[in-house]
Amino acid sequence: MSITPLMPVYPRCGVRPVRGDHCHLIDEDGTRYLDFASGIAVNLLGHSHKGLIGAIQRQAATLMHVSNLYGSPQGEALAQRLVDKTFADTVFFTNSGAEAVECAIKTARAYHQAAGAEERHELITFTSAFHGRTMATISASNQEKMHKGFAPLLGGFRYVEFDDLEGARAAIGPATAGFLVEPIQGEGGIRPASQEFMSGLRALADEHDLMLVLDEVQSGVARTGKFYAHEHYGIEPDVLATAKGIGGGFPFGACLATEKAARGMTFGTHGSTYGGNPLAMAAGMAVMDAVANDEFLAEVTEKGERIRTRLEQFIGNYPELFELVRGTGLMLGIRMKVESRPFFVHLRDKHQLLTVAAGDNTLRVLPPLVIGDAEIDEFFEKLSAGAADYQIPEAG
Ligand SMILES: *Cc1c(COP(=O)(O)O)cnc(C)c1O
């Protein structure tokens, strides 16, 4: 037998964390890493946040799980908080980002089908998008590397170039149900949509009675200095998928919708055994307590601007390596002129700095939102040292 007990779908690296300490991870052999990856934008409170740990411990000892057959005081309370904080009127809780997007896709289709428009089932999605790894969410992305081996894909998705408003307009037809888009592409390389694109999609959706569905699984929950990234654009979606940071490390997600958009999501149309269980809701409440306030969001903005300014100065010292910095708040990307993956490995293995590689030769900088001056200084020390002793690998 040569297959590993863990199904070998991840090319796992040699870092084997066993403990977290605020913004650091500690490996099996005791090595400390500065964590500017945050479990890919998940651990927004770092690794040892007392409020989050206490909330999970208390809830685990009180009531861990009950079925959605019963009333849910915990779910009602968190849903109300999300409704108060956002465009949404109603919330469905899931266990992951992909499931949140699945629910969003179903909500958009059901919106039209509830009105008898069965033919309006197609979502227009955008190149280099990432929406998750379920059959529907890989079908929603044009990235062939995620499709290989899993044909047939699900129908009902049409791909248009990201940030191409005219392309989106031209793709609208009698089958169109709406748009599904990340306001800031994450895996695609921290690529923010333009203002014109986001306002334009909103206007097209209004004009043609389409659903504007946002995937804010990565950009949401204070990551960009707003509670959701679409707030930067001054527009509101009809439906939104959120996950990653929302549980601060506890796995859960949610699909948020307006009352109008959710008109098809009636009794019996959707469900999840675990979705919104008391343990997840306790984690979500603790995260909301910490991040859903103007002071915290202002700090994220301030830290993001500070890092960005320093990064822009820093990359000027290495014009052969780095091209530009992009992103908002603490969702930042450094686009490289050379392949970004080997540099990301170099930072990890030689300098104990964890970042995340992404598409478009971009290095993602996704620190916990609770970083302070000490972590920011440590990041620049490691990054500078890493750039100074980096040797660009031979091509091929
Ligand atoms: C991570 C991510 C997903 C998928 O979330 P999972 O929890 O891995 O299922 C979907 N959309 C975006 C934008 C993401 O970054």
Side-chain angles (χ1 to χ4, degrees), residues 74-86 91 93 285:
Q74 307 86 1
E76 283 166 7
L78 186 58
Q80 184 66 56
R81 243 177 124 173
L82 287 165
V83 163
D84 290 345
K85 190 77 196 150
T86 68
V91 180
F93 290 112
M285 269 299 181

Side-chain angles (χ1 to χ4, degrees), residues 143-165:
Q143 294 195 58
E144 281 172 15
K145 64 180 185 214
M146 296 197 293
H147 299 163
K148 204 166 165 283
F150 302 117
L153 296 181
L154 233 63
F157 299 98
R158 178 192 279 239
Y159 315 134
V160 167
E161 194 66 34
F162 181 64
D163 218 30
D164 175 3
L165 183 61

Side-chain angles (χ1 to χ4, degrees), residues 10 40-42 95-101 129-134 137 181-182 184-187 215-219 241 243-244 251-253 331 364:
Y10 293 108
I40 316 189
V42 169
N95 313 291
S96 68
E99 285 172 287
V101 179
F130 181 81
H131 298 299
R133 295 293 200 141
T134 61
T137 54
V181 64
E182 296 160 88
I184 304 177
Q185 286 193 337
E187 313 289 318
D215 180 347
E216 291 228 34
V217 170
Q218 194 160 151
S219 59
K244 292 204 164 93
F252 92 96
M331 185 174 184
R364 270 182 283 178

Side-chain angles (χ1 to χ4, degrees), residues 157-205:
F157 299 98
R158 178 192 279 239
Y159 315 134
V160 167
E161 194 66 34
F162 181 64
D163 218 30
D164 175 3
L165 183 61
E166 283 319 305
R169 185 195 310 275
I172 296 171
T176 310
F179 305 106
L180 168 61
V181 64
E182 296 160 88
I184 304 177
Q185 286 193 337
E187 313 289 318
I190 313 291
R191 295 166 63 200
S194 63
Q195 177 67 53
E196 182 202 10
F197 183 65
M198 293 303 289
S199 311
L201 290 184
R202 180 67 269 170
L204 285 174

Side-chain angles (χ1 to χ4, degrees), residues 318-322 336-340 342-343 346 386-396:
Y318 296 95
E320 71 287 5
L321 288 182
F322 306 111
M336 298 191 64
K337 287 186 183 157
V338 295
E339 259 195 275
S340 64
F343 184 65
H346 172 76
D389 69 358
Y390 186 59
Q391 287 176 347
I392 301 168
E394 306 273 318

